C-alpha cells in the first residue's frame, strides 16, 4: 500500500512540474510571441491568425494516437520521444528569422517546422494526459487540476516578465536577431527539463484493443456526443476572435512586450485566485455547472473587447484579459473532466482525442472564415459598412454571440442530464 502511495504521489508531483514546463514553452510559441516571429517573416495579420488557430486544428491528429499507440506495451517512452521532437522543432522555429535564406525558403521552413511540431505533439497528448491523470483519484481531479494550474501560472508570471523585459531591451538596443537566438536557446533548455520531468513518472500498461473497442462505442453514445459539442462550440467561439488578438496588441494597440508581460502576470494572478474555488465547486457539484459559469464570464470578456480601441486599449484589453483568465480557470479543466466523468479506463485517451479533434477542426474552420473579414476591414481602412471598426472588435462581437448560444446549450443539454 505504501509503495502504491509513493508511486501515485510521485506521478502527481512530476505531473505538476511537467505541466509548468510545457506551459512555458507554449507561451513562447503563441500569442504576441508568435506574432513577433511571423512579423519578422513578413506574414500578414490574417495569416498569423490562421497559424495561431492551427494549435486547434492540430488536435485533429489526436485521433491518430489511437493507432500509433495500439501496439505499444506502455506509453512512457514514446510520449517522451514525441515531446522531444515537438519542442526541438519549436526551438528551430525561433532561429528561422536569423537564417540567411531567401524569404520564400524561410516561410516554407517555418510552416514545415511549426505544423510538424503540433502534429507530433497532438499524437502524444491524449496518451500523456491519460497516463498522468491515472495517478489522481477521481474524487480529487478538480482540486488537483487547480493546483497544477496555479503552479504553472505562478511560474509563468515570472517567466513572461523576464522574457518581455529581455525582448524590449534587445529591441531598444537594435539587436533584434539576438531576440530569436535567445528564444531558441530558452526553448531548448526547457525541452531538456521537460523530458527529465517525465522520466521519474511510473509507467502504465496499455490495454490491448481496449481503446479502439471503446472508441467505436463512444460514437454511438448520445451523452458523449453532447459533451463533445460543448468543446466544439467553445472552439468556434474562441477561435473566431483570440487568434487575431496577438497582432492587434502589437500593431493597433501598440503594446510593448513589457506591458504584454504585465498583462500575463495579471492573467496569472486572476486565474490562480479563481482556479481553486472553481475546482472545489466542481468536485462538490459538477463540472457541467462549473463550466456554464465560466462561459458566462468568457462571454463578458468578449463583450468588453467589442469596445476596445487604441484610445482605451490598455484599460479595456486588461479588463478582457482578466475576465478571460477567470473563465479559463475552469474551462479547460471542465471540458476534459466532463469526459473523464463519463468515460472510464481504457477509453479515456480515445475520448479525449475525439473531443480535441472535432473541437480543433471546428476552431480552425472558424478562424479561416473570419480571416477574409479581417483582411477586408483592414483594406477598407478599419471600416465596415461605413463605420469605424477595428477587426478585433468585429471578431469579438462574433465570439460573444456564439458564447451566448453555448451557455444556453450547456444549460439545456448538459447540466443535470449526465449519466
Amino acid at each position: 500500500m505504501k509503495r502504491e502511495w509513493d508511486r501515485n504521489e510521485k506521478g502527481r508531483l512530476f505531473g505538476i512540474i511537467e505541466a509548468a514546463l510545457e506551459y512555458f514553452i507554449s507561451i513562447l510559441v503563441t500569442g504576441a510571441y508568435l506574432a513577433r516571429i511571423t512579423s519578422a517573416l513578413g506574414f500578414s495579420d490574417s495569416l498569423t491568425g490562421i497559424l495561431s488557430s492551427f494549435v486547434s486544428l492540430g488536435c485533429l491528429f489526436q485521433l491518430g494516437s489511437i493507432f500509433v499507440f495500439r501496439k505499444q506495451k506502455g506509453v512512457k517512452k514514446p510520449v517522451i520521444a514525441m515531446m522531444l521532437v515537438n519542442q526541438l522543432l519549436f526551438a528551430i522555429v525561433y532561429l528561422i528569422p536569423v537564417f540567411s535564406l531567401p524569404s520564400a525558403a524561410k516561410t516554407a521552413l517555418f510552416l514545415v517546422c511549426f505544423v510538424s511540431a503540433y502534429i507530433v505533439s497532438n499524437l502524444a497528448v491524449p496518451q500523456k494526459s491519460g497516463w498522468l491523470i491515472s495517478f489522481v483519484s477521481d474524487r480529487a481531479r478538480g482540486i488537483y487540476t487547480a493546483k497544477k494550474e496555479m503552479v504553472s501560472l505562478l511560474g509563468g508570471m515570472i517567466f513572461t516578465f523576464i522574457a518581455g523585459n529581455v525582448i524590449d531591451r534587445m529591441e531598444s538596443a537594435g539587436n533584434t536577431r539576438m531576440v530569436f537566438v535567445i528564444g531558441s536557446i530558452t526553448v531548448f533548455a526547457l525541452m531538456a527539463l521537460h523530458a527529465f520531468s517525465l522520466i521519474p513518472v511510473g509507467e502504465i500498461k496499455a490495454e490491448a484493443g481496449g481503446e479502439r473497442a471503446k472508441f467505436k462505442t463512444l460514437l454511438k453514445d448520445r451523452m458523449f456526443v453532447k459533451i463533445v459539442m460543448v468543446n466544439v462550440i467553445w472552439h468556434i467561439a474562441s477561435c473566431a476572435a483570440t487568434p487575431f488578438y496577438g497582432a492587434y496588441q502589437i500593431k493597433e494597440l501598440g503594446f510593448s512586450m513589457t506591458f504584454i508581460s504585465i498583462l500575463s502576470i495579471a492573467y496569472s494572478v486572476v486565474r490562480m485566485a479563481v482556479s481553486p474555488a472553481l475546482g472545489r465547486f466542481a468536485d462538490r457539484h459538477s463540472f457541467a455547472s462549473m463550466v456554464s459559469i465560466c462561459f458566462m464570464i468568457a462571454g463578458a470578456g468578449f463583450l468588453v473587447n467589442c469596445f476596445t480601441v487604441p484610445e482605451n486599449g490598455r484599460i479595456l484589453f486588461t479588463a478582457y484579459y482578466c475576465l478571460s483568465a477567470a473563465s479559463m480557470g475552469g474551462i479547460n479543466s471542465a471540458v476534459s473532466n466532463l469526459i473523464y466523468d463519463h468515460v472510464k479506463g481504457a477509453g479515456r485517451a480515445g475520448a479525449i482525442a475525439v473531443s480535441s479533434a472535432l473541437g480543433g477542426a471546428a476552431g480552425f474552420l472558424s478562424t479561416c472564415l473570419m480571416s477574409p473579414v479581417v483582411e477586408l476591414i483592414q483594406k477598407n481602412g478599419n471600416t465596415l459598412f461605413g463605420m469605424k471598426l477595428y477587426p478585433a472588435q468585429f471578431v469579438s462581437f462574433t465570439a460573444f454571440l456564439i458564447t451566448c448560444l453555448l451557455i444556453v446549450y450547456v444549460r439545456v443539454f448538459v447540466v443535470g442530464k449526465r449519466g
Side-chain angles (χ1 to χ4, degrees), residues 213-231:
K214 187 69 176 178
F215 174 72
K216 294 178 181 178
T217 304
L218 286 173
L219 299 180
K220 302 175 182 178
D221 186 331
R222 290 186 179 182
M223 192 61 223
F224 174 71
V225 172
K226 290 177 182 178
I227 292 171
V228 168
M229 283 304 300
V230 173
N231 194 33

Side-chain angles (χ1 to χ4, degrees), residues 15 37 40 175 224 245 251-252 321 350-351 379 403 405:
I37 301 173
N175 201 353
F224 174 71
Y245 288 163
K251 296 181 179 179
E252 285 86 353
Y321 225 57
K379 287 179 180 177
T403 304
L405 293 175

Side-chain angles (χ1 to χ4, degrees), residues 394-415:
F394 177 82
V395 298
S396 296
F397 184 66
T398 303
F400 167 71
L401 291 179
I402 299 172
T403 304
C404 289
L405 293 175
L406 174 58
I407 294 166
V408 174
Y409 176 87
V410 172
R411 301 301 301 180
V412 172
F413 295 104
V414 181
V415 174

Side-chain angles (χ1 to χ4, degrees), residues 65 134 359:
S65 69
S134 69

